[in-house]
Amino acid sequence: TIDEQMQALASMSLDEQAKELVEFVKAPHEGEQELERMITLYQQRKLLDLYALITASEMSDSVEAALLTDRNKLMAFRIESMMLRKPVF
């Protein structure tokens, strides 16, 4: 949810938030290209390649936990009912 996304961002230190913002301002299209690559890998079911791409990023441990690990655990919990209704790929 949007609230969960905001909580994830709020869990980052102000220094981490500032660093991420500066990186985005310097190269705004880089994030778009990386997201497109992630989507393509997911659609092609290349999950190990997707994992390698994500883990190769330069996120700090706390940012990775907030924006990736913790959110993925929550989504994994929620996706079970979705998978029972229809395929997820």
Side-chain angles (χ1 to χ4, degrees):
T1 66
I2 292 174
D3 288 337
E4 291 165 350
Q5 179 73 15
M6 296 306 295
Q7 287 174 2
L9 294 173
S11 71
M12 297 169 54
S13 72
L14 291 179
D15 287 341
E16 290 170 323
Q17 291 178 39
K19 179 183 171 193
E20 293 295 322
L21 181 59
V22 167
E23 288 178 16
F24 173 76
V25 169
K26 286 182 178 179
H29 298 291
E30 187 175 302
E32 292 173 18
Q33 292 169 350
E34 187 172 9
L35 178 60
E36 287 299 321
R37 179 76 179 131
M38 288 180 191
I39 291 169
T40 299
L41 290 171
Y42 179 80
Q43 289 172 333
Q44 294 173 346
R45 299 181 184 186
K46 295 181 178 181
L47 301 183
L48 292 177
D49 292 341
L50 176 59
Y51 178 76
L53 178 65
I54 292 168
T55 56
S57 70
E58 297 179 13
M59 283 189 271
S60 70
D61 290 343
S62 62
V63 171
E64 184 175 332
L67 297 179
L68 185 64
T69 308
D70 296 343
R71 291 174 58 216
N72 283 352
K73 288 178 184 177
L74 182 59
M75 187 57 181
F77 176 76
R78 290 178 178 156
I79 200 168
E80 183 178 9
S81 64
M82 292 180 210
M83 292 171 59
L84 294 172
R85 290 191 307 253
K86 63 180 181 178
V88 293
F89 280 102

